[in-house]
């Protein structure tokens, strides 16, 4: 007999989490995984206070409320008395837009008006404890001094995106409350109005200001791009890597394992910061559904190595790197990002105008330019060199459907009198074609691209990303087998590399 179809009753907030890449909503399962990092006795204490400074769907406050409703039953046996205490005395939030304010109140209070007839706990105001303070950007030369947003890029938007928490509104003063736990999923970036279209990160500002409030616990989910990259994140990265109050870090190398419908370059992570404890961090990386966990220092290298298994390999390959970040790596033979001072839009002419013209490689085609168009990098012009695309192979630096990374998009052998635009940078400045070709063969190995991957956290490559790639003798070609043997990698380490990096034809 055919079994009746089981009715599916999906959580609407799970559906909402799949709608937007701009403001990434947190799925309930992720919010609960983050709450699981906290000591669970917090949810049995009627004095514990919680703040979400960046409410979108209200999911964090809702899931906290569910835990408090269970945990506080012995303290408040009457359900309504318990609800009133929880919603009035323990849960607080700042919304980030007018829409998310209404959505969050609907999620938490079961109605968009906290003083409405159907509110699960009645307030005197429609906002309840989920506020949207009115603030303005502080414009200096067309950009906000506080968040870096571009005035031009926001002029036609209905929302100002002047988030109260990072624009001078102190929630402790507004609510007259000291918060024990700050938790949330902050907005990730804002447009700067630059010609490159690059956006400025703002999640770091939410974390910095949260720490200044000195809660007992801080837990946030953010892009993992800060591990090794991110515009203007150098100071933030240094502080995070040296902050020994960060005791737990859960990292998804593919953001789709956390946010199935969102592409977030470099993956995402969430962490637990604890005010009253210091120590090494429990680092859990999730890749291809497999989990790897180690307790270790975050500050081992100038950038954060996300894969626990990679640390042992790096130690074998570059044993002195901790003492000297420039020790024996490929950075020493790599050019600046604009090796010849030619912008990405330069195409050159289809044919040379005179015999001294140089052949130009752009992202679209080959062309020709006068030698005098080159404003820097004269030392490279008459040598053999390798042009490498500054954009990684994967969309948003995500692995392919099989979980493999290719890392490098394109490498081109440049002959003497051949140059390239800003779309490429150079590796090597060689007298012979053979040495340049051996560089390409080396960078085509899984070994080299795996080590490059350890410092890549966005779609962009640069000189600093080759921190972990060792320099070789390029008078000979190299194979993976030779490199594995040279550095004494175990069968398990080789298998890990080959599970992660796809083969690449020379």
């Amino acid at each position: 007999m055919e079994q009746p179809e089981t009715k599916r009753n999906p959580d609407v907030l799970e559906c909402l989490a799949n709608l937007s890449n701009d403001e990434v909503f947190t799925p309930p399962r992720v919010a609960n995984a983050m709450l699981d990092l906290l000591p669970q006795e917090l949810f049995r204490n009627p004095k514990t206070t919680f703040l979400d400074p960046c409410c979108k769907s209200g999911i964090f406050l809702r899931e906290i409320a569910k835990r408090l409703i269970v945990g506080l039953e012995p303290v408040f046996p009457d359900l309504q008395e318990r609800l009133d205490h929880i919603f009035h005395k323990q849960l607080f939030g700042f919304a980030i837009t007018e829409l998310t304010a209404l959505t969050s109140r609907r999620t938490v209070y079961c109605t968009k008006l906290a003083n409405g007839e159907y509110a699960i706990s009645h307030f005197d105001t429609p906002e309840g404890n989920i506020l949207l303070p009115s603030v303005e950007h502080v414009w200096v030369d067309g950009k906000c001094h506080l968040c870096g947003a571009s005035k031009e890029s926001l002029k036609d938007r209905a929302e100002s995106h002047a988030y109260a928490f990072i624009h001078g509104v102190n929630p402790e003063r507004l609510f007259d409350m000291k918060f024990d736990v700050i938790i949330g999923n902050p907005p990730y970036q804002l447009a700067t109005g630059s010609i490159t279209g690059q956006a400025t990160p703002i999640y770091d500002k939410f974390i910095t200001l949260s720490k200044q409030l000195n809660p007992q616990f801080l837990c946030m989910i953010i892009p993992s791009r800060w591990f090794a990259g991110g515009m203007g994140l150098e100071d933030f990265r240094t502080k995070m890597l040296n902050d020994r109050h960060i005791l737990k870090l859960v990292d998804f190398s593919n953001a789709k394992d956390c946010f199935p419908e969102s592409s977030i370059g470099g993956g995402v992570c969430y962490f637990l910061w604890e005010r009253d404890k210091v120590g090494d961090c429990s680092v859990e990386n999730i890749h291809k559904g497999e989990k790897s966990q180690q307790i270790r220092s975050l500050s081992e290298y100038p950038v954060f190595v996300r894969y626990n298994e990679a640390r042992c390999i790096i130690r074998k390959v570059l044993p002195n790197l901790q003492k000297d970040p420039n020790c024996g790596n490929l950075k020493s033979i790599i050019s600046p990002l604009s090796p010849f001072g030619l912008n990405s839009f330069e195409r050159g002419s289809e044919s040379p105008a005179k015999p001294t013209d140089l052949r130009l490689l752009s992202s679209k085609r080959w062309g020709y330019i006068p030698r005098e168009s080159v404003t820097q990098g004269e030392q490279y012009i008459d040598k053999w060199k390798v042009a490498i695309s500054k954009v990684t192979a994967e969309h948003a630096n995500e692995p392919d459907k099989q979980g493999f990374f290719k890392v490098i998009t394109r490498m081109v052998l440049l002959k003497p009198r051949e140059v390239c635009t800003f779309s490429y940078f150079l590796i090597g400045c060689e007298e012979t074609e053979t040495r340049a070709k051996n560089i390409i063969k080396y960078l085509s190995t899984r070994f080299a691209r795996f080590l490059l991957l350890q410092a890549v956290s966005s779609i962009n490559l640069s000189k600093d990303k080759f921190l972990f790639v060792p320099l070789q003798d390029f008078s000979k070609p190299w194979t993976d087998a030779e490199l594995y043997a040279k550095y004494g990698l175990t069968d398990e380490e080789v298998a890990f590399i080959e599970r992660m990096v796809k083969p690449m034809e020379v």
Side-chain angles (χ1 to χ4, degrees), residues 101-107 109-116 126-128:
L102 295 172
T103 303
S104 295
R105 291 172 198 139
R106 175 65 180 83
T107 298
Y109 305 134
C110 299
T111 173
K112 65 182 181 180
L113 301 177
N115 61 351
E127 295 84 6

Side-chain angles (χ1 to χ4, degrees), residues 9-10 52 88 103 122 155 180 212 216 222 245 259 274 328 332 373 375 391 414 418 421 432 455:
N9 186 21
D52 181 350
H88 286 256
T103 303
H122 190 273
K155 69 178 183 179
D180 299 303
Q212 290 177 8
Q216 187 177 358
I222 57 176
H245 293 277
F259 303 116
E274 189 167 348
S332 61
S373 298
T375 60
V391 178
L414 295 186
E418 291 182 345
T421 68
T432 67

Side-chain angles (χ1 to χ4, degrees), residues 333-336 339-340 380 385-388 414 420 424-428:
I333 63 167
I334 297 178
S335 74
F340 299 105
Y380 298 110
K385 55 271 180 188
V386 178
I388 184 168
L414 295 186
C420 61
Y424 301 85
F425 58 94
L426 303 177
I427 301 184

Side-chain angles (χ1 to χ4, degrees), residues 11 55 71-72 81 84 93 183 196 215 252 308 358 429 438 449:
D11 190 330
C55 291
L72 295 183
E81 182 184 2
D84 290 341
I183 188 168
T196 63
F252 298 83
N308 294 314
L358 305 176
C429 183
N438 287 339
R449 287 180 290 121

Side-chain angles (χ1 to χ4, degrees), residues 331-499:
K331 288 169 56 179
S332 61
I333 63 167
I334 297 178
S335 74
L337 270 182
S338 183
F340 299 105
L342 303 169
N343 68 50
S344 299
F345 306 106
E346 181 68 59
R347 297 289 179 262
S349 59
E350 292 187 4
S351 57
K354 49 187 177 181
T356 56
D357 280 0
L358 305 176
R359 195 166 182 237
L360 174 69
L361 172 68
S362 70
S363 60
K364 299 294 184 182
R365 61 179 175 85
W366 287 92
Y368 292 88
I369 60 170
R371 190 177 182 114
E372 51 268 27
S373 298
V374 173
T375 60
Q376 58 194 45
E378 182 75 23
Q379 71 273 25
Y380 298 110
I381 293 178
D382 296 310
K383 298 294 178 69
W384 292 87
K385 55 271 180 188
V386 178
I388 184 168
S389 172
K390 67 172 187 160
V391 178
T392 59
E394 287 74 31
H395 170 63
N397 193 39
E398 293 174 348
D400 63 17
K401 293 181 179 180
Q402 286 72 46
F404 289 105
F405 292 92
K406 185 180 177 184
V407 189
I408 295 175
T409 303
R410 188 184 185 197
M411 290 185 286
V412 180
L413 180 67
L414 295 186
K415 302 175 183 178
R417 299 181 59 246
E418 291 182 345
V419 296
C420 61
T421 68
F422 181 72
S423 296
Y424 301 85
F425 58 94
L426 303 177
I427 301 184
C429 183
E430 308 296 336
E431 296 291 342
T432 67
E433 178 182 7
T434 297
R435 288 184 64 87
K437 284 186 173 180
N438 287 339
I439 291 174
I440 291 179
K441 290 178 181 177
Y442 176 55
L443 291 174
S444 300
T445 64
R446 282 171 152 173
F447 171 87
R449 287 180 290 121
F450 170 81
L451 291 167
L452 173 58
L453 179 65
Q454 304 318 305
V456 174
S457 61
S458 69
I459 65 170
N460 295 316
L461 295 180
S462 63
K463 182 175 183 174
D464 289 342
K465 305 306 181 190
F466 290 79
L467 171 71
F468 301 122
V469 185
L471 192 62
Q472 304 295 342
D473 173 8
F474 293 119
S475 65
K476 68 176 292 298
W478 290 91
T479 66
D480 273 315
E482 290 173 315
L483 292 163
Y484 296 153
K486 176 179 177 178
Y487 294 105
L489 301 193
T490 65
D491 291 344
E492 291 77 13
E493 290 167 340
V494 170
F496 182 73
I497 291 173
E498 298 193 346
R499 283 201 309 271

Side-chain angles (χ1 to χ4, degrees), residues 118-354:
Y118 300 106
I120 196 169
S121 179
H122 190 273
F123 285 81
D124 294 331
T125 66
E127 295 84 6
N129 282 337
I130 301 176
L131 306 184
L132 180 63
S134 178
V135 294
E136 300 292 336
H137 291 286
V138 180
W139 301 117
V140 177
D141 297 329
K143 290 187 178 180
C144 178
H145 171 67
L146 296 173
C147 70
S150 163
K151 188 174 185 178
E152 179 67 20
S153 65
L154 294 177
K155 69 178 183 179
D156 295 325
R157 295 198 182 189
E159 293 281 359
S160 70
H161 296 276
Y163 304 122
F165 190 65
I166 61 174
H167 284 79
V169 180
N170 187 323
E172 291 186 339
R173 293 176 186 167
L174 197 60
F175 289 115
D176 190 23
M177 179 70 62
K178 177 68 179 174
F179 298 103
D180 299 303
V181 179
I182 299 178
I183 188 168
N185 179 3
Y188 296 160
Q189 60 190 29
L190 280 174
T192 61
S194 68
I195 60 173
T196 63
Q198 192 171 14
T200 183
I202 59 170
Y203 56 87
D204 56 307
K205 295 175 174 59
F206 281 84
I207 292 171
T208 299
L209 289 171
S210 293
K211 289 182 180 180
Q212 290 177 8
L213 293 179
N214 201 31
Q216 187 177 358
F217 298 97
L218 169 63
C219 186
M220 284 195 174
I221 183 165
I222 57 176
S224 298
R225 203 170 300 134
W226 69 269
F227 290 174
M231 184 173 69
L233 291 182
E234 292 80 6
D235 184 56
F236 174 73
R237 174 165 46 256
T238 298
K239 289 178 179 178
M240 289 288 282
L241 295 181
N242 288 280
D243 190 341
R244 290 179 57 76
H245 293 277
I246 299 176
L247 300 181
K248 297 178 183 178
L249 176 68
V250 180
D251 169 47
F252 298 83
S253 49
N254 186 350
K256 285 185 167 60
D257 289 336
C258 190
F259 303 116
E261 302 302 322
S262 298
S263 291
I264 302 171
V268 295
C269 67
Y270 54 84
F271 66 90
L272 178 67
W273 178 94
E274 189 167 348
R275 181 191 63 204
D276 300 329
K277 290 185 181 179
V278 295
D280 287 341
C281 182
S282 173
V283 177
E284 180 178 305
N285 175 261
I286 299 170
H287 179 68
K288 288 186 178 181
E290 297 181 3
K291 296 181 181 180
S292 171
Q293 188 169 1
Q294 279 186 8
I295 295 177
R296 57 188 177 101
S297 170
L298 298 180
S299 60
E300 188 173 5
Y301 297 110
V303 299
F304 179 66
V305 178
R306 73 189 327 164
Y307 301 107
N308 294 314
E309 297 85 348
R311 296 169 61 235
C312 295
I313 297 173
I314 291 171
R315 288 174 182 168
K316 289 181 177 180
V317 170
L318 293 169
N320 297 316
L321 189 62
Q322 285 177 288
K323 298 177 182 178
D324 182 2
N326 298 309
C327 179
N329 54 38
L330 210 62
K331 288 169 56 179
S332 61
I333 63 167
I334 297 178
S335 74
L337 270 182
S338 183
F340 299 105
L342 303 169
N343 68 50
S344 299
F345 306 106
E346 181 68 59
R347 297 289 179 262
S349 59
E350 292 187 4
S351 57
K354 49 187 177 181

